[in-house]
Amino acid sequence: MQLFRFAIAGGITTALYTIVYSPLAKYRVTSEQVANLAGYLIAMLAGYVIHSRWSFRGHGADMRQTTIRFFLVSLISYAINTGWVFLLTDDAMLAGPWWWPLVPVLFVTPLAIFALNRLWVFA
């Protein structure tokens, strides 16, 4: 059940990331990395509220410790997604289109972040 709740909440936060990242990167309002940062900030804030109050409710009694750990895992998520953006869109790497990073952002990063949230943040 927790995985199901995480999937829904993660879907919402990933959708928010995509809604922010996509137009900024697609229409070249800014670089893909700045679009990634903007998407991350929105998703991270929404993710904390949704995950702490719904996905992992009842786990982790120490709210201060949970908050610190959540933001550390959030930074790991940002680092992973920054890596995808760099690898897949940067001219020095694969120089792909703006949307290529969305594939691993949608299907790889969430699995790692679920594990960290479940086993460490909200344990």
Side-chain angles (χ1 to χ4, degrees):
M1 190 61 177
Q2 187 176 66
L3 179 59
F4 178 71
R5 287 193 312 259
F6 179 83
I8 291 172
I12 292 167
T13 58
T14 302
L16 289 171
Y17 170 89
T18 304
I19 288 167
V20 173
Y21 170 85
S22 294
L24 294 174
K26 179 179 181 178
Y27 298 112
R28 300 181 190 263
V29 173
T30 189
S31 71
E32 286 94 349
Q33 286 297 358
V34 173
N36 177 52
L37 177 61
Y40 158 77
L41 291 171
I42 297 299
M44 181 264 304
L45 292 171
Y48 179 72
V49 171
I50 295 169
H51 288 307
S52 65
R53 295 176 190 229
W54 188 57
S55 300
F56 297 104
R57 72 173 177 242
H59 292 275
D62 184 358
M63 189 61 155
R64 181 174 180 265
Q65 181 181 14
T66 300
T67 300
I68 292 167
R69 287 181 178 183
F70 178 86
F71 286 110
L72 287 174
V73 169
S74 175
L75 288 173
I76 292 169
S77 171
Y78 174 65
I80 293 169
N81 288 344
T82 297
W84 295 129
V85 172
F86 175 75
L87 175 67
L88 298 172
T89 64
D90 192 272
D91 291 338
M93 298 305 279
L94 296 179
W98 66 270
W99 58 266
W100 276 10
L102 291 176
V103 175
V105 163
L106 292 170
F107 299 107
V108 177
T109 305
L111 296 175
I113 300 311
F114 170 77
L116 287 170
N117 275 317
R118 178 61 184 102
L119 298 173
W120 186 55
V121 177
F122 299 101

